[in-house]
Amino acid sequence: MLYIAASQAIRSLRQAKADIVISLAGLVVGLTASLLMALLIRDQMAYDTFLPDHAQLYLVDSVLAPVDEDRETGPLVRWRTPPDLAATLVAEAPEVEAAARLLDDARKIRWGDEAFREFVTWVDPSFADIMHLPVVEGDLKASLADPGAVALTQTMARKLFGPEPALGKRIDLDERTTLRVRAVLRDLPFRSHMHEVMLLASSASVYSPFSAPQSRVNGPRTDGGDADPARGRTLGDVYTYVRLRDGADPVAAQGTLDGLAARHWGAGHPGGQSPQLVPMTDLQLHAGLNPDRLNRMCMIGGIALLTLLIPCINFINMATPRPPAGPWRWGCARWAARVGATW
């Protein structure tokens, strides 16, 4: 019996060799494509997991209540929050261990004869207590505490100084002040929402957008002759990062934040802001902050399932044993026809 089965299988394989090869090739292509799409989705879900204690790190976003409910379909979710939120959380939220503000600002950077226009990321000194970024040389915490210091990534250090050591070098900012390099950071991985950050400077600097009277976000840049120290500008919304204490309940922290929002920022009223804690690892696929990306990942996931399912069905169908050619198959056909005529 085994010999007969093997001979029939070999005969069927010879007769349907092209079909088997095609179905097997389709199965391989389908598996490869679905695997690549699954890796893409996994990559999107693994953002910022390289940070130590990433489960305790949060970004605070703002949910704006619609002013005119007849015209607006729902609340608007924004990345930024009021500038006084960080200090309020540290003072009044027991679940919050540290909070820091962040703001990008385009400035003119010069070293020697080289000049570049780069985004300087101004952060509060407490930012070093929230995110433990990988440091190659120097001390990030000391750098952010020094108003005259700056921290560079490895890529920016090579761009400015080439192969020379960057630590201790001085760069000119807007040709008005000099910053000394006190820390060199390892380049942040692509799977980080901050991978484009290349220069970190202290918000305590008098040239930062956080410092009065030059505080401004929506207004002329302070990099050149358009800066007027006599013109006071109010600071707009900023990015707010927080670290919760060990063992702190995020739900309880959100409840505390809701109470603070009702007292300080008019939450629940038209135009009021309701700050919400968003886990750092959820920023990439957050439905409110990145709705298009989440929809695309869901669509890619559905395509991956179909890409895997269709070639599997085709392969199973082609690999299923068929009635061998010859008198036996014709006998089966005649028997089926006779049964059908009887019914």
Side-chain angles (χ1 to χ4, degrees), residues 228-242:
D228 185 3
R231 295 170 57 192
R233 304 186 182 102
T234 58
L235 183 66
D237 290 344
V238 299
Y239 299 99
T240 303
Y241 292 87
V242 300

Side-chain angles (χ1 to χ4, degrees), residues 336-343:
R338 188 179 304 136
V339 172
T342 302
W343 282 96

Side-chain angles (χ1 to χ4, degrees), residues 223-281:
D223 51 350
D226 62 338
D228 185 3
R231 295 170 57 192
R233 304 186 182 102
T234 58
L235 183 66
D237 290 344
V238 299
Y239 299 99
T240 303
Y241 292 87
V242 300
R243 170 185 282 271
L244 298 185
R245 299 185 185 277
D246 293 338
D249 185 8
V251 177
Q254 182 61 54
T256 302
L257 191 58
D258 292 339
L260 296 177
R263 294 198 302 269
H264 296 283
W265 301 289
H269 301 283
Q273 300 189 42
S274 301
Q276 290 187 348
L277 294 173
V278 180
M280 193 78 67
T281 53

Side-chain angles (χ1 to χ4, degrees), residues 61-134:
D61 65 8
S62 294
V63 181
L64 305 181
V67 178
D68 189 351
E69 296 183 356
D70 295 333
R71 295 185 177 181
E72 300 181 29
T73 57
L76 174 65
V77 181
R78 301 176 65 247
W79 287 78
R80 299 190 179 192
T81 54
D84 57 338
L85 174 63
T88 303
L89 290 177
V90 174
E92 303 184 34
E95 298 87 359
V96 175
E97 179 179 348
R101 301 169 299 172
L102 180 148
L103 192 62
D104 293 325
D105 190 24
R107 297 298 180 94
K108 185 178 180 181
I109 306 296
R110 176 182 292 276
W111 182 76
D113 297 332
E114 300 291 335
F116 307 94
R117 190 170 184 83
E118 298 287 348
F119 276 98
V120 179
T121 303
W122 303 92
V123 294
D124 291 329
S126 57
F127 185 80
D129 298 325
I130 297 176
M131 292 193 188
H132 300 154
L133 299 180

